[in-house]
Amino acid sequence: MQIGFIGLGKLGKPCAEAMAERGIKVFGYDNNMSCISKLVDIKATLAEAVNGQDIVFVAVPTPHEAGYDGRAPISHLEPRDFDYSILRSVVKECNSLMNERQLLVIISTVLPGTIRRDIAPLATNTTLIYNPYLIAMGTVKQDFLDPEMIMIGTERGQLDRQAAMLQNLYHDLLNKSVRFEIGTWEEAEATKIFYNTFISTKLSLVNMIQDVAQKLGHMNVDRVTSALANSTRRIMSNKYMKAGMGDGGACHPRDNIALRWLAQELELGYDLFGSVISAREQQAENMALEILKHGKNIFFSSSSYKPGTDLVDGSYSLLVQHYIKKHGGLIASQQDTAVEVIVRVHEGDIFVDNSKCIIFDVWRTYPPSGNVVYYGKS
């Protein structure tokens, strides 16, 4: 197998060289003509790097405008997407040189929806795959050879023949068991970008604890964060990683309300807790509006926040019901013959003789049927 690699910068060059070190013939191109490598056969033109290669990787920059990299305050700036002009230009040129037997693989970071909207229409002569890397600067080669996962995004989310060719390349390169996540272009885009955002959010939470420790006194931030880091049942685990009904109960929502007060009392200068509360409420309203698209007379399978109980303090189900009523819907009883939509509040909830109603499943695990709507699975 022969590889073309377009973009030999801080990310592309170490990855291309890692492939070459494992015996793969790699032809590279970068518009920085001073780029050199003892391992990659760097060509003078993009055409030379692309022609005849089985797979062509594209790792060109998708930068922000100057001033948006975070080294200075950016929260006051107008939100902007990445600049895809370099990526578009390279894909256009690659498309003019490639054929259907070749595979064009985009590594560059893009926002969800970008490939299908902006990039795929430019790649008409070849198969396009989105394959972003989880790379940290300073450990690029190590992260490439020992990835947490490999994301492969295809048009329909299937591991077709050409996507399997890319997967096999990684099997040969890595010589180890690796987790593959196969999905649509959008799913791969979202996995990459939200992976990074999880890290940012996590750091914001940890540094918030630091601020509280500094302001409050008698508190070592490392003792608190160490206690949380070793909490592997819920916090550092796969718990709460299933989208569905939002956070509920007698503790969590009111904890955030109290922490809003503490943030003001300690003059932290920001209100992350308020943002969490606002997001929770807006997400509930978004869900209510989607439910109402299927009918106005709505039955909720439970008003509790925990299955098998009648506990309703902080109930997310009741919060969604609030927004149903706010937007003109009616909350029905199970016996109401006019019920149009049944909302599946808990994942274990099942229904008998429901063919006349829409079942709105926020957990996406109810047996498929013509009257079942899966929320969040578009």
Side-chain angles (χ1 to χ4, degrees):
M1 183 177 289
Q2 294 190 159
I3 299 298
F5 216 105
I6 312 303
L8 299 174
K10 294 177 182 179
L11 183 149
K13 184 179 176 182
C15 294
E17 290 182 336
M19 292 181 182
E21 285 174 352
R22 276 151 178 74
I24 293 179
K25 186 63 178 175
V26 181
F27 300 88
Y29 173 77
D30 193 280
N31 62 358
N32 179 4
M33 300 308 295
S34 63
C35 180
I36 59 174
S37 174
K38 295 180 179 179
L39 298 168
V40 176
D41 186 355
I42 298 179
K43 297 298 185 181
T45 67
L46 184 144
E48 292 177 274
V50 167
N51 285 335
Q53 316 318 338
D54 299 291
I55 302 176
V56 175
F57 290 89
V58 175
V60 298
T62 52
H64 260 125
E65 291 186 11
Y68 277 81
D69 70 354
R71 73 181 70 186
I74 59 175
S75 59
H76 64 288
L77 299 178
E78 179 185 354
R80 292 185 183 275
D81 195 356
F82 302 115
D83 180 356
Y84 302 117
S85 56
I86 301 172
L87 180 59
R88 288 194 193 98
S89 175
V90 168
V91 170
K92 281 182 182 178
E93 189 170 356
C94 286
N95 186 64
S96 69
L97 299 164
M98 296 176 69
N99 58 55
E100 61 184 12
R101 295 186 299 277
Q102 295 174 286
L103 189 60
L104 183 60
V105 178
I106 308 297
I107 297 172
S108 309
T109 299
V110 303
L111 285 185
T114 303
I115 296 294
R116 196 175 301 272
R117 182 188 66 245
D118 293 340
I119 307 303
L122 307 176
T124 55
N125 295 329
T126 186
T127 299
L128 182 68
I129 285 182
Y130 186 56
N131 174 218
Y133 292 166
L134 299 174
I135 298 291
M137 292 297 108
T139 56
V140 174
K141 188 173 290 187
Q142 299 94 307
D143 292 341
F144 174 75
L145 294 173
D146 185 23
E148 182 167 358
M149 60 177 159
I150 292 177
M151 297 159 278
I152 296 179
T154 66
E155 181 178 8
R156 295 181 177 83
Q158 299 171 342
L159 188 66
D160 53 25
R161 179 182 61 82
Q162 289 184 291
M165 180 171 68
L166 179 63
Q167 186 181 49
N168 291 335
L169 170 67
Y170 285 120
H171 278 307
D172 294 340
L173 279 172
L174 303 178
N175 294 323
K176 59 168 288 195
S177 176
V178 62
R179 171 165 58 97
F180 285 90
E181 296 292 344
I182 314 296
T184 61
W185 291 324
E186 289 82 359
E187 287 162 350
E189 291 165 326
T191 302
K192 157 69 178 184
I193 206 79
F194 285 117
Y195 183 100
N196 290 349
T197 301
F198 259 92
I199 294 173
S200 298
T201 304
K202 191 174 180 179
L203 284 169
S204 294
L205 287 167
V206 167
N207 287 339
M208 184 196 309
I209 299 168
Q210 180 175 251
D211 282 348
V212 170
Q214 186 67 28
K215 297 269 190 176
L216 190 62
H218 307 287
M219 176 178 163
N220 183 340
V221 62
D222 295 326
R223 288 185 178 172
V224 178
T225 55
S226 176
L228 297 176
N230 289 308
S231 300
T232 57
R233 293 187 182 181
R234 293 185 178 89
I235 296 177
M236 305 300 172
S237 73
N238 61 1
K239 295 288 186 181
Y240 302 107
M241 284 302 295
K242 175 83 172 177
M245 285 287 170
D247 203 8
C251 297
H252 293 191
R254 74 187 189 95
D255 286 352
N256 277 303
I257 294 171
L259 283 167
R260 291 195 72 184
W261 175 87
L262 183 63
Q264 292 177 350
E265 188 75 5
L266 297 178
E267 298 181 349
L268 296 187
Y270 55 87
D271 187 8
L272 188 58
F273 314 104
S275 297
V276 171
I277 292 170
S278 296
R280 176 180 182 267
E281 292 172 357
Q282 187 60 58
Q283 288 161 359
E285 187 166 16
N286 291 345
M287 182 182 291
L289 291 170
E290 287 296 324
I291 293 168
L292 287 167
K293 289 180 180 179
H294 303 281
K296 295 292 185 183
N297 206 309
I298 317 297
F299 169 70
F300 282 72
S301 62
S302 175
S303 290
S304 70
Y305 71 85
K306 183 171 287 188
T309 74
D310 58 359
L311 301 172
V312 295
D313 290 343
S315 166
Y316 198 79
S317 172
L318 289 177
L319 181 61
V320 178
Q321 291 178 43
H322 164 83
Y323 287 113
I324 290 287
K325 291 182 281 190
K326 172 186 172 181
H327 291 284
L330 300 173
I331 305 301
S333 68
Q334 191 171 14
Q335 291 75 33
D336 191 337
T337 58
V339 169
E340 298 172 271
V341 184
I342 299 174
V343 178
R344 189 182 184 219
V345 174
H346 303 304
E347 198 165 6
D349 294 347
I350 58 175
F351 313 102
V352 179
D353 190 23
N354 51 55
S355 58
K356 295 180 181 179
C357 299
I358 293 293
I359 296 175
F360 192 90
D361 182 18
V362 304
W363 305 106
R364 299 161 301 282
T365 55
Y366 202 76
S369 178
N371 65 318
V372 177
V373 172
Y374 293 133
Y375 186 49
K377 188 176 181 180
S378 58

